[in-house]
Amino acid sequence: MASPSDRAPLAERVEELLAVGGPLPIVAAGDPVLRRGTEPYDGQLGPELLARFIEALRVTMHAAPGVGLAAPQVGVPLRLAVIEDPAPVPAEVAAARGRVPQPFRVLVNPVYEPVGTARAAFFEGCLSVPGWQAVVARPAEVRLRGEDEHGSPVDEVFTGWPARIVQHETDHLDGTLYLDRAELRSLSSNEELARRWTQPTPATAAEALSFDLP
């Protein structure tokens, strides 16, 4: 457990962030906080401050908009993330990507491990790397362990797009960006992605840009 003196700086930092009100500023790639990893959450913020911080993450995620946001993305090196995905995509895309709606969830101290050997590759973006997307091959199914915001244990298997979301956000907590796992030949601006690569899978992009899919 962290001592009171260890807790104070993080709590003060969060209080300063929340004092401004509204969506929090999102840290962009290049800021060291995205690469240092995080410390496990063990009460550094206290119940009331934690609830306020979680709500601020939710508001910020919605405003971006995004389907997940990790604490380091707002400059706070705590092992904490939020996810939510209404999955507003055409049925064909949803079926190809295994994208189903996910309710708002808080992930505290999450870790994941692959279930099986199947991998799936799709274009992926990040709020901390605005304007770009790239294809990332990830385990198609993962087991996520951790806690929720109330301290209750989480031990759940995620598949399809929800598995991609929890991997992406948990990676942030380890100082990993999606570009570290991406097929860089696929890197596309959002404008080019919208113009050329809106197919349900990246197979056409793989052929045109000369990269392999699993």
Side-chain angles (χ1 to χ4, degrees), residues 107-125:
L107 308 179
V108 179
N109 300 329
V111 295
Y112 69 83
E113 61 183 9
V115 175
T117 59
R119 294 174 67 79
F122 293 102
F123 275 100
E124 191 171 317

Side-chain angles (χ1 to χ4, degrees), residues 141-153:
E141 187 173 14
V142 296
R143 182 178 184 181
L144 186 84
R145 295 184 177 92
E147 302 166 357
D148 66 15
E149 66 271 40
H150 307 296
S152 299

